[in-house]
Amino acid sequence: MRRATRAGGAPQRYSAASLFRHGLTHEDWERVWRTVEMRRSYDAVVIGAGVHGLATAYYLASNHGMGNVAVVDKGYVGGGGSGRNTAIIRSNYLTPEGVRFYDRSTRLYENLSATLNFNVMFARRGHLTLAHTDASVRTMRWRAEVNKLEGVESEVIGPDEVKELVPFMDTSTKTRYPILGALYHPPGGIIRHDAVNWGYARAADSLGVEIHQGTEVTGISTDRGRVTGVTTSRGAISAPVVVNCTAGWASLVATMAGVRLPIITHPLQAAVTEPVKMFLHAVVVSGSLHVYVSQTDRGELVFGASTDPYASYSMRGSLEFTEELATHVLELMPSISKMRVLRQWAGLCDITPDFSPIMGVTPVDGFLVDVGWGTYGFKAGPAAGEAMAELVATGKTPESIAAFDLARFEEARLVGERGAAAVGH
Amino acid sequence: MSTAKRLLSGRPTKMRITSRPGEVIDRSKPVRFTWNGREKSAFEGDTIISALAASGERVFSRSFKYHRPRGILTATFHDPGCSVQVGDEPNVRGSHRLVTAGMKVTAQNVWPSLKLDVASANRAAGRFIGAGFYYKTFIKPERLWPTYEKVLQRFAPGGRVSADSPHGSYDKRYAHPDVVVAGGGPAGMAAALGAAEAGARVMLVEEEHSLGGHLRYGSETELAALAELRREVEASGAIEVLVNSAVTGRYDGNWIAILQRNLPHVTERLVKARAKVVVAAPGLIERPYVFEGNDLPGVMLSTAARRLLNLWAVAPGTRAVVLSANEEGDATAADLSDAGVHVAQVVDARRGEQVVRARGAGSLSEVELGDGSKVSCDLLVTAVGWTAPTLLLNVAGDRPVYDERAARFVPGDGLPANVLATGGIVGDGPTAALVEHGRATGRAAAERALARDGTSVTIPSLSPAPHPALYRSRTHGIVDFSEDISSKDLVSAAREGYDSVELLKRYTTATMGPAQGKLETINTVAVLAEATGRSIAETGTTVWRPPHVPVSLGALAGRVLEPVRYSPMQPWHEAHRATPIVAGQWIRPEHYGDPAREVRTVREHVGLIDVTPLGKLDLRGPDVPKLLNFLYVNKWLKLDIGSVRYGLMCGEDGVVLDDGVTGHLGEDHYLMSTTSSGADAVAHWIENWLQTTFPDWQVYMTPMTTAYASINVAGPKSRELMSRVVSDVDLSPEAFAYMQVRRGTICSVPGCVMWRIGFTGELSYELHVPAGYGLYVWESLLAAGEDLSAGVFGLEAQRIMRLEKGHLIVSQDTDGLTQGYGVGLDGLIKLDKEDFAGKQELEWQLERQGYNHLVALLPDDASVVPPEASQIVTGDRSIVGRVTSSRLSPSLGRSICLALVAPQLAETGKSVTVHLPDGTDVRAKVSEELAQFDPGGERLRA
Amino acid sequence: MILIPCPHCGDRNSSEFTYAGEVHSRPSPGDARQGPWRDYLYGKDNPAGWTEERWFHGSGCGKYLRAERHTVTNEIRATRPEVGAGASSRTRP
């Protein structure tokens, strides 16, 4: 096995001092990652240069010394879901295994700027999940209780405290769906998603990982139940391990290896407004009204909602999405009706039957999956990458992802996050 | 008098010139407004910016990052430096919004003021804060990032919103035109005419305040052509014209979104048009030129200068240099001279002449040319080429291609049959050629829309004229004016590896600002191409995303239309101060002041509850028993007429779906009840089975939930009360026993259904009364029961009583993974039935064991009510269950709970630890029975 | 907004319908082994291209229908009633 090596010696450090030097000398910055010829063989091929694929490759090289890894992507770094999500980080899930997993991810995110020497701008803003019915108050309390037992900060707060955190919120009882309370999760926040992708790509590259953009996987080769490599739009690669880290195309890629996944692909849309001066510090989510909103440092409101109501690979977006979104946002904050939607876009989400991911081995030896991330994949990227790297390097499924295996669907061991979905309405 | 002299005269309208033939201002109607608190004058027809420019203002905002002063660039909606705050409305496009009397306009991004601007210190630091600088710093120590972040937030661009702004009034409209023409320039107007002539109903949508496009500020010949086109459009009965309106996007199925901004009393209206064919005629957008100082106030596009001169009669400067690479530039020079502005020099780019940099302190004072010469001036006009705004074509699936000769992107060949394009986006030509192309395109659109054979329509060719490729001079300047991104930033980012157009865009945020790339995209691509040594065609362009212009949240939301369901008894509830509770679409009484007292009323006397939201499905046909036997886990083939039975439904995955009772009303006739929240889902579920799997079963299902008002009469005196209002049903226990159903007359209302069941555990009758009589029957029952101490009770009292009885509530005491076994109804599940929904999974559940059980828990301290969702934990704090329901029982005088627990805890007498939300632990014991009150059920069988 | 040609009602906005997913047939109850049953519950083809699926016209005729839809373009090339053999299908011209 080729040991991880630095591509061109130690990478250039980013810091205030280097920025200052650069400002004076105007020398070019070192390239953020290399463009190199694709080789014919690697120790592992990761499909998908999003946060999951890049984090997997990075932790393979950094934690396990496996740098002879190629990350291939049909588009560009972070061009899929990793660059299209609304960049919310939180760990206030419902099941203990979910909470532990996302807590690990949040902790990795909190230190990621220093780890990668790339400012990913993680901003701890506090995260509010509003409850408009007594059933959802109960679910919020359920989540809060599980969170606390797992050591994650969460509590149920009342409408007055919601108003204090979000002065623009209509917490009166005159609305159609009055706010009865909220799950308040102080560690939740937002991040610069592109920076995470680039930071991982740069750091992985510096440890020898090769990133091949514009390289579409067209087939996965197997021999007697073992994966042997991939064919791409730029030629074949042989590798004993292939990791499917795609979102939106997970079923199609898995099918190339003969693996059938319990996934339906739905578009998830998002929109952003024109900037205004900061007025919304917290991240606000309303499950009943199917909307989430945060304000970036640039002053834009970033909105998301539930996935489109039918399966589709279309990323064109729809008008009804923005209409429903606006309706619901204005129910929460009626005074911002004059703000304008500047841009809408869509990403693809692979939804599984239990609203939990699929990570680990498949019936094809050496073909691993890190897929089915639905609408919550970005926030899991670091922890998923860390665990997948461990699986690739050691051949053993780490405890943290054991509950999320593919076999659970055939063996009816579904994960209980669907419990939250079922009682959340 | 020359403009220069007027400038010195100091009058408030010092830049206003004498009347222009195409001017849109009404000089007889002065309007007053304020700008940063100072009174200003304007004429009707002026935009905010034209009025301010007329008064001599040159700076309208500060740039995002370096806080450089910004003036007029395009004099259109997309003018990046001209966004202003109007009252409580942020980000108003000052070059588009018309001035109205009393308007309060303030500048944005000018902390602390437009003139004194401490943030301009950023400019000195400019060399250190290139695009993406923040990714490279503030990395350590991490705890300081929130502090840095707050500083960055101060520089966020944009206006302000206020928490007390009213929602305002918005509206929506649906339209079904044959043809939508997006763009009301000459080609668009002609397309509308062509389509109308061919018999189509047309909607013609124009962003500006009137039709005409570039003809509006053109020559006298062009104005004459425009007048003729306008006359024709007005004369046509088939063209609806929407001005100050924009097609913001095209969605699946030619679903066209139009933002209409010109209506009185409505801030904005969203028109949703299902167009058979759409014709894109957006014209062209003039692009800025990149050179040092290109963002100084006084540097503007040729179209901006002509618009100021010819639409609003405002001199854009007093001494001008014109950089011209096309006829538009030449025409601008001519217009400027004609209007009395001194044209110091025309720099002809077609002859290789160049502008290298612009200089000035706060605004333009000097231009340096390619030969090193310097010309002093306060106006530099650039005319270096065009961008085709291809959004509508992009979203229809077309990918524009770069035309090297014309130096711009043009439509590709990927348009579907229901999208056509005409005008400048397709090619160039004199007005007559544009009109001819538009008219033919409109005719072709009509042919397609009306599904006629359109082969007879020949569309003349219209191709882009050759144009020099001018993007950047030999100096660096601003590419994205809203985001403050220079060509140097782009080159640096490309060299660093962000070298595809999408990566570059994301890294530098170029094209991500309010103009969304309309002014910046092509220059960004050109600079990237130059930096990477690729051609523009190879570099490609970014994807244009909707909406074409920003749309207010208010317009997208429209009027507030949130349906609410109330029972017919709602007036009574309101009159009696019921506390409402939101239950899905329903709003119903939670209680009437004192739930514990309501419980006592039921337990001791008789109480009425409004249960109208309960799902009710009328089932008829010979195969209803088969259907019920399939839907429920228990057996249904033998149920006598007059009987009701409780049933549990599971999904095909064995997960508990719903429960309720179903009664056999008569020959082939059943009434099913479902949970309130499950009513719609169960109706869908039944339709699904009947239509997709058992199409030969003869069953008709009719949802009856709102056709009946439903009242539960519960309590030991309920039979007595019923006997006073029911005339035609024998209510004796022998004749009308527990779990039976009768149809009869209540309070003289015939056609009522009554069944003897009891969620509360008391003798009780559930009445389903034709909805129109609901309130009458409710009031009559109360009147009839006055001497029986009859009262009412709400949802809360019912929940307390059902908990005392250990009755589960699906989705509260079960969750998304709770399968049929373990919820206290094991005896109900009949695996010996040949088939039913979920049977396989329930069989496997039983084999597998290990599932959670629903148990009743009694806290050792009877005064402690563990809040619902309290977790049940082991010594090492792992979670082994949770409290699903809990209340203080007024009947028992102690706390009671239901809980889902791991199988090892589901033993009578087992002591468990309940972890409360306040962090303390309490002990509780598993009770023998789920029911704590009358476990034998004698009361309800009374 | 997708326009769905309902075989009973004509062209209608997709907002009137509920998406009911890929067409899967239920294994016969007598022969239900775990593998095929769980595939019936959870397995999906999820193709990027033409697929046959069900929609329920809840705000219209109340009927289920079959649609052939392209999951990338969302184009619907044909619909037919779910119930009853030989019923007329509606194909876009």
Side-chain angles (χ1 to χ4, degrees):
Chain A
M1 182 182 291
R2 213 171 73 122
R3 296 294 302 174
T5 50
R6 295 214 183 282
Q12 186 177 29
R13 296 293 297 173
Y14 290 163
S15 67
S18 70
L19 198 72
F20 184 70
R21 254 194 325 276
H22 173 81
L24 293 180
T25 61
H26 282 288
E27 278 169 14
D28 279 348
W29 290 97
E30 221 172 64
R31 286 185 73 84
V32 64
W33 54 75
R34 298 159 299 153
T35 305
V36 291
E37 279 299 301
M38 196 167 80
R39 286 179 285 116
R40 293 293 141 228
S41 155
Y42 295 89
D43 292 338
V45 170
V46 175
I47 308 172
V51 62
H52 283 255
L54 294 166
T56 299
Y58 168 74
Y59 291 114
L60 265 175
S62 67
N63 291 359
H64 304 282
M66 251 179 95
N68 184 21
V69 172
V71 180
V72 296
D73 196 294
K74 68 176 180 179
Y76 53 95
V77 166
S82 298
R84 293 165 184 270
N85 65 85
T86 49
I88 295 170
I89 306 298
R90 64 182 175 92
S91 58
N92 58 353
Y93 281 72
L94 176 71
T95 60
E97 60 268 33
V99 175
R100 280 196 289 270
F101 186 81
Y102 286 97
D103 184 42
R104 174 67 189 154
S105 218
T106 304
R107 283 168 203 275
L108 287 169
Y109 266 131
E110 280 169 354
N111 296 312
L112 201 59
S113 294
T115 308
L116 303 178
N117 179 233
F118 201 103
N119 188 355
V120 297
M121 295 185 242
F122 177 67
R124 196 179 142 118
R125 293 282 195 85
H127 183 281
L128 285 170
T129 313
L130 302 174
H132 305 266
T133 64
D134 63 333
S136 60
V137 171
R138 202 156 42 233
T139 307
M140 295 316 146
R141 195 175 298 120
W142 182 2
R143 282 166 65 178
E145 290 311 295
V146 174
N147 286 191
K148 284 190 278 184
L149 283 165
E150 293 297 333
V152 167
E153 251 184 291
S154 278
E155 58 180 315
V156 174
I157 61 173
D160 292 347
E161 288 157 288
V162 172
K163 183 83 185 173
E164 224 164 88
L165 288 163
V166 186
F168 274 63
M169 188 80 68
D170 185 351
T171 53
S172 71
T173 54
K174 292 184 179 65
T175 59
R176 174 64 182 84
Y177 299 102
I179 293 165
L180 305 182
L183 178 66
Y184 180 47
H185 176 54
I190 54 173
I191 203 163
R192 180 87 179 98
H193 54 12
D194 290 328
V196 171
N197 302 325
W198 301 329
Y200 269 123
R202 171 172 172 266
D205 170 85
S206 76
L207 296 174
V209 170
E210 292 179 9
I211 297 160
H212 297 290
Q213 305 180 80
T215 307
E216 183 172 2
V217 170
T218 53
I220 294 173
S221 24
T222 58
D223 181 24
R224 279 160 293 179
R226 262 214 73 82
V227 80
T228 55
V230 298
T231 51
T232 76
S233 54
R234 293 170 60 209
I237 308 173
S238 71
V241 178
V242 173
V243 192
N244 178 2
C245 288
T246 60
W249 295 271
S251 309
L252 307 179
V253 170
T255 304
M256 293 176 191
V259 173
R260 183 170 154 92
L261 296 176
I263 278 176
I264 313 177
T265 301
H266 285 258
L268 177 68
Q269 301 191 52
V272 65
T273 65
E274 296 180 344
V276 295
K277 301 289 183 234
M278 199 71 191
F279 72 95
L280 177 66
H281 189 74
V283 179
V284 175
V285 180
S286 166
S288 305
L289 295 177
H290 306 290
V291 63
Y292 43 95
V293 53
S294 65
Q295 190 174 16
T296 67
D297 291 339
R298 291 159 48 87
E300 303 154 327
L301 290 186
V302 179
F303 301 120
S306 43
T307 54
D308 285 4
Y310 45 84
S312 180
Y313 288 86
S314 159
M315 286 195 274
R316 289 180 300 277
S318 68
L319 180 62
E320 52 271 31
F321 158 75
T322 52
E323 293 181 82
E324 279 166 32
L325 182 81
T327 305
H328 293 145
V329 167
L330 293 184
E331 272 176 52
L332 298 176
M333 297 186 280
S335 59
I336 62 166
S337 58
K338 295 187 182 79
M339 287 189 72
R340 296 186 187 86
V341 170
L342 186 59
R343 178 172 72 247
Q344 69 175 113
W345 67 94
L348 297 181
C349 292
D350 292 334
I351 312 283
T352 62
D354 58 2
F355 297 93
S356 293
I358 308 172
M359 281 187 279
V361 299
T362 68
V364 175
D365 276 354
F367 179 64
L368 308 176
V369 290
D370 172 18
V371 299
W373 282 101
T375 61
Y376 31 82
F378 184 79
K379 50 183 74 64
E386 187 185 51
M388 290 307 293
E390 186 181 336
L391 171 59
V392 171
T394 66
K396 291 197 195 78
T397 302
E399 188 51 42
S400 65
I401 62 168
F404 303 115
D405 62 335
L406 174 59
R408 74 177 185 274
F409 297 101
E410 208 177 315
E411 295 165 13
R413 293 182 279 106
L414 270 57
V415 178
E417 289 298 341
R418 186 178 154 203
V423 296
H425 54 244
Chain B
M1 183 165 59
S2 78
T3 310
K5 277 188 192 147
R6 250 184 252 133
L7 184 69
L8 297 171
S9 72
R11 285 188 301 154
T13 54
K14 55 192 172 185
M15 301 303 278
R16 190 80 74 182
I17 54 177
T18 50
S19 180
R20 305 289 294 169
E23 72 181 23
V24 295
I25 50 172
D26 185 342
R27 293 180 190 247
S28 70
K29 291 182 180 153
V31 181
R32 305 192 80 75
F33 69 109
T34 64
W35 166 243
N36 294 329
R38 292 199 321 276
E39 188 138 307
K40 292 278 177 183
S41 63
F43 293 123
E44 203 173 283
D46 258 322
T47 65
I48 293 167
I49 296 299
S50 73
L52 291 175
S55 79
E57 297 282 346
R58 306 202 87 188
V59 179
F60 307 107
S61 71
R62 294 272 173 177
S63 73
F64 168 37
K65 207 156 73 184
Y66 307 119
H67 277 236
R68 292 164 63 94
R70 286 287 159 80
I72 294 171
L73 179 67
T74 73
T76 64
F77 185 91
H78 304 295
D79 211 337
C82 296
S83 282
V84 293
Q85 177 100 21
V86 175
D88 64 356
E89 184 179 357
N91 304 326
V92 171
R93 301 315 202 263
S95 287
H96 176 83
R97 180 69 61 88
L98 300 181
V99 168
T100 55
M103 199 178 230
K104 288 188 175 61
V105 185
T106 48
Q108 298 182 166
N109 300 346
V110 288
W111 175 72
S113 83
L114 191 61
K115 295 214 167 104
L116 171 72
D117 187 4
V118 296
S120 57
N122 276 6
R123 286 203 294 283
R127 62 195 314 174
F128 307 113
I129 56 172
F133 80 96
Y134 29 76
Y135 299 126
K136 298 195 178 79
T137 186
F138 309 133
I139 291 172
K140 274 187 160 176
E142 280 145 325
R143 68 193 142 74
L144 281 186
W145 168 243
T147 314
Y148 300 136
E149 196 198 0
K150 287 211 173 58
V151 174
L152 288 184
Q153 282 170 5
R154 293 211 76 141
F155 291 95
R160 281 175 202 286
V161 287
S162 149
D164 48 20
S165 288
H167 181 285
S169 94
Y170 298 89
D171 200 7
K172 287 188 189 178
R173 173 188 165 194
Y174 290 87
H176 296 82
D178 296 319
V179 175
V180 165
V181 178
M189 293 168 85
L193 288 167
E197 285 154 14
R201 290 166 302 115
V202 183
M203 201 170 238
L204 174 61
V205 186
E206 167 55 38
E207 286 185 66
E208 304 256 353
H209 299 279
S210 63
L211 292 174
H214 67 274
L215 300 185
R216 294 172 68 218
Y217 49 84
S219 65
E220 304 227 4
T221 326
E222 287 172 316
L223 287 172
L226 172 56
E228 178 53 31
L229 282 168
R230 276 188 184 154
R231 261 194 301 280
E232 281 191 67
V233 169
E234 273 161 32
S236 166
I239 303 174
E240 181 183 358
V241 178
L242 306 181
V243 293
N244 191 12
S245 302
V247 171
T248 63
R250 173 203 184 256
Y251 300 90
D252 286 342
N254 247 16
W255 186 241
I256 308 297
I258 301 165
L259 180 69
Q260 196 177 359
R261 299 178 292 223
N262 67 335
L263 292 167
H265 314 304
V266 176
T267 313
E268 287 182 344
R269 175 161 81 173
L270 181 67
V271 182
K272 296 183 273 185
R274 183 70 83 176
K276 295 203 179 79
V277 176
V278 62
V279 177
L284 292 169
I285 293 177
E286 191 172 22
R287 66 176 180 248
Y289 192 46
V290 181
F291 58 93
E292 190 180 322
N294 65 341
D295 63 331
L296 275 171
V299 179
M300 68 180 72
L301 305 181
S302 69
T303 42
R306 290 190 87 193
R307 291 167 65 89
L308 285 170
L309 283 170
N310 298 341
L311 294 176
W312 300 294
V314 172
T318 57
R319 185 180 158 83
V321 171
V322 177
L323 168 66
S324 176
N326 52 39
E327 289 168 11
E328 188 69 20
D330 303 342
T332 310
D335 282 356
L336 285 167
S337 296
D338 180 54
V341 178
H342 176 65
V343 177
Q345 186 146 357
V346 173
V347 182
D348 193 334
R350 290 156 294 196
R351 296 206 306 256
E353 295 169 9
Q354 271 237 45
V355 164
V356 174
R357 58 177 58 86
R359 291 200 187 86
S363 74
L364 179 70
S365 59
E366 182 185 87
V367 171
E368 183 184 325
L369 305 182
D371 59 7
S373 63
K374 292 169 181 144
V375 186
S376 76
C377 59
D378 64 358
L379 174 66
L380 169 60
V381 171
T382 66
V384 298
W386 310 97
T387 293
T390 53
L391 173 101
L392 267 183
L393 312 184
N394 282 172
V395 295
D398 185 56
R399 290 287 163 265
V401 292
Y402 187 67
D403 182 334
E404 203 85 42
R405 252 178 78 258
R408 70 177 195 246
F409 280 89
V410 297
D413 54 7
L415 282 179
N418 56 12
V419 181
L420 297 168
T422 186
I425 195 172
V426 175
D428 302 308
T431 307
L434 294 172
V435 166
E436 194 191 352
H437 187 270
R439 209 177 277 261
T441 305
R443 268 203 305 279
E447 294 291 324
R448 291 186 192 181
L450 303 172
R452 290 197 297 242
D453 176 19
T455 48
S456 58
V457 180
T458 314
I459 299 177
S461 77
L462 185 69
S463 38
H467 195 286
L470 287 168
Y471 297 103
R472 186 173 76 83
S473 180
R474 58 174 189 256
T475 49
H476 282 290
I478 294 293
V479 172
D480 189 320
F481 292 79
S482 342
E483 296 290 301
D484 237 4
I485 307 298
S486 71
S487 49
K488 195 185 246 172
D489 289 325
L490 297 178
V491 170
S492 169
R495 290 208 181 125
E496 221 179 312
Y498 302 96
D499 52 5
S500 71
V501 63
E502 288 291 344
L503 280 174
L504 183 72
K505 173 181 106 176
R506 286 159 178 273
Y507 185 69
T508 61
T509 73
T511 77
M512 307 275 271
Q516 287 290 291
K518 291 174 192 72
L519 302 170
E520 314 89 1
T521 294
I522 181 70
N523 285 341
T524 302
V525 170
V527 170
L528 174 63
E530 189 189 339
T532 55
R534 294 183 298 230
S535 70
I536 289 177
E538 286 165 335
T539 305
T541 182
T542 56
V543 179
W544 297 60
R545 285 171 170 152
H548 171 63
V549 292
V551 186
S552 69
L553 291 172
L556 289 167
R559 297 186 198 186
V560 180
L561 295 170
E562 276 289 345
V564 181
R565 281 179 156 182
Y566 291 117
S567 93
M569 288 81 96
Q570 181 64 19
W572 193 94
H573 302 322
E574 277 171 21
H576 292 80
R577 296 174 191 284
T579 298
I581 183 169
V582 178
Q585 289 189 321
W586 293 91
I587 292 179
R588 54 188 305 193
E590 183 175 18
H591 58 78
Y592 302 85
D594 183 356
R597 212 189 72 196
E598 292 166 22
V599 170
R600 283 196 297 278
T601 301
V602 175
R603 293 273 185 243
E604 291 164 19
H605 310 287
V606 57
L608 266 58
I609 181 172
D610 179 353
V611 291
T612 302
L614 203 69
K616 294 170 286 277
L617 304 172
D618 184 87
L619 298 165
R620 291 178 197 241
D623 292 318
V624 173
K626 270 204 252 179
L627 174 71
L628 298 173
N629 209 46
F630 180 81
L631 293 171
Y632 287 121
V633 299
N634 47 337
K635 293 189 179 175
W636 286 82
L637 294 180
K638 290 179 193 137
L639 180 69
D640 296 333
I641 291 178
S643 288
V644 301
R645 184 171 288 167
Y646 173 79
L648 180 72
M649 283 184 203
C650 290
E652 287 278 74
D653 54 3
V655 170
V656 174
L657 192 74
D658 204 79
D659 69 344
V661 297
T662 293
H664 195 166
L665 300 187
E667 184 82 19
D668 296 344
H669 185 193
Y670 292 74
L671 184 66
M672 172 187 280
S673 69
T674 73
T675 61
S676 308
S677 56
D680 288 346
V682 171
H684 269 190
W685 177 242
I686 291 175
E687 282 295 352
N688 192 332
W689 286 116
L690 289 175
Q691 292 189 36
T692 69
T693 313
F694 307 117
D696 51 333
W697 288 4
Q698 294 183 47
V699 178
Y700 291 96
M701 185 201 68
T702 314
M704 299 287 280
T705 303
T706 50
Y708 282 126
S710 302
I711 303 165
N712 195 293
V713 184
K717 296 178 190 164
S718 57
R719 184 177 290 120
E720 171 59 28
L721 174 55
M722 288 291 288
S723 70
R724 298 178 183 183
V725 296
V726 176
S727 48
D728 51 359
V729 175
D730 181 352
L731 295 168
S732 66
E734 304 75 36
F736 188 2
Y738 178 58
M739 296 305 270
Q740 291 200 322
V741 59
R742 296 292 180 267
R743 282 191 286 180
T745 305
I746 304 174
C747 306
S748 317
V749 177
C752 300
V753 177
M754 49 200 108
W755 45 32
R756 242 196 90 181
I757 54 169
F759 201 40
T760 58
E762 295 296 332
L763 169 67
S764 65
Y765 299 85
E766 196 146 290
L767 316 180
H768 305 295
V769 180
Y773 293 102
L775 181 58
Y776 161 73
V777 171
W778 177 266
E779 288 177 338
S780 304
L781 281 165
L782 283 173
E786 209 173 341
D787 60 315
L788 301 174
S789 306
V792 294
F793 63 111
L795 200 56
E796 175 59 17
Q798 189 194 43
R799 285 177 177 174
I800 293 170
M801 287 184 276
R802 71 91 200 177
L803 185 58
E804 291 173 341
K805 285 294 295 176
H807 290 147
L808 70 89
I809 294 179
V810 171
S811 88
Q812 174 169 341
D813 299 305
T814 67
D815 61 49
L817 291 182
T818 308
Q819 292 181 304
Y821 282 103
V823 295
L825 299 167
D826 291 8
L828 217 56
I829 303 171
K830 301 297 181 200
L831 293 176
D832 59 341
K833 283 200 291 182
E834 188 191 333
D835 187 21
F836 62 91
K839 179 189 170 189
Q840 277 70 23
E841 288 295 346
L842 292 173
E843 265 178 15
W844 295 324
Q845 186 198 4
L846 201 57
E847 280 169 26
R848 192 172 62 235
Q849 289 291 321
Y851 46 85
N852 284 350
H853 290 254
L854 188 69
V855 298
L857 279 186
L858 299 175
D860 292 357
D861 180 344
S863 68
V864 172
V865 183
E868 288 168 355
S870 294
Q871 301 293 302
I872 296 162
V873 295
T874 61
D876 67 356
R877 318 313 283 167
S878 36
I879 295 167
V880 285
R882 71 172 193 283
V883 173
T884 57
S885 298
S886 63
R887 288 290 188 278
L888 191 67
S889 159
S891 315
L892 302 165
R894 63 153 302 131
S895 58
I896 54 173
C897 314
L898 286 178
L900 268 176
V901 298
Q904 68 272 19
L905 300 184
E907 270 174 47
T908 304
K910 191 99 181 174
S911 183
V912 303
T913 304
V914 182
H915 183 71
L916 304 184
D918 67 7
T920 60
D921 288 350
V922 295
R923 303 288 291 176
K925 281 197 183 58
V926 175
S927 165
E928 187 181 353
E929 301 270 2
L930 286 175
Q932 305 307 313
F933 181 81
D934 185 28
E938 280 137 36
R939 296 173 73 93
L940 49 82
R941 289 191 175 78
Chain C
M1 177 80 76
I2 302 178
L3 195 62
I4 298 178
C6 173
H8 308 288
C9 310
D11 288 352
R12 291 289 188 276
N13 285 348
S14 61
S15 55
E16 293 184 5
F17 298 77
T18 307
Y19 174 69
E22 290 176 12
V23 175
H24 284 275
S25 56
R26 189 170 186 258
S28 79
D31 170 41
R33 286 156 298 129
Q34 284 195 358
W37 186 264
R38 300 264 158 79
D39 191 66
Y40 154 66
L41 288 183
Y42 306 125
K44 302 288 172 205
D45 294 337
N46 199 30
W50 290 106
T51 184
E52 185 176 32
E53 60 195 12
R54 288 195 177 106
W55 291 78
F56 176 58
H57 198 182
S59 300
C61 56
K63 297 291 186 199
Y64 276 79
L65 59 98
R66 298 271 184 109
E68 284 172 50
R69 184 174 61 102
H70 195 284
T71 58
V72 180
T73 63
N74 287 338
E75 183 194 340
I76 293 178
R77 66 180 174 194
T79 54
R80 62 188 172 86
E82 175 67 37
V83 184
S88 66
S89 75
R90 244 182 98 89
T91 306
R92 282 199 178 282

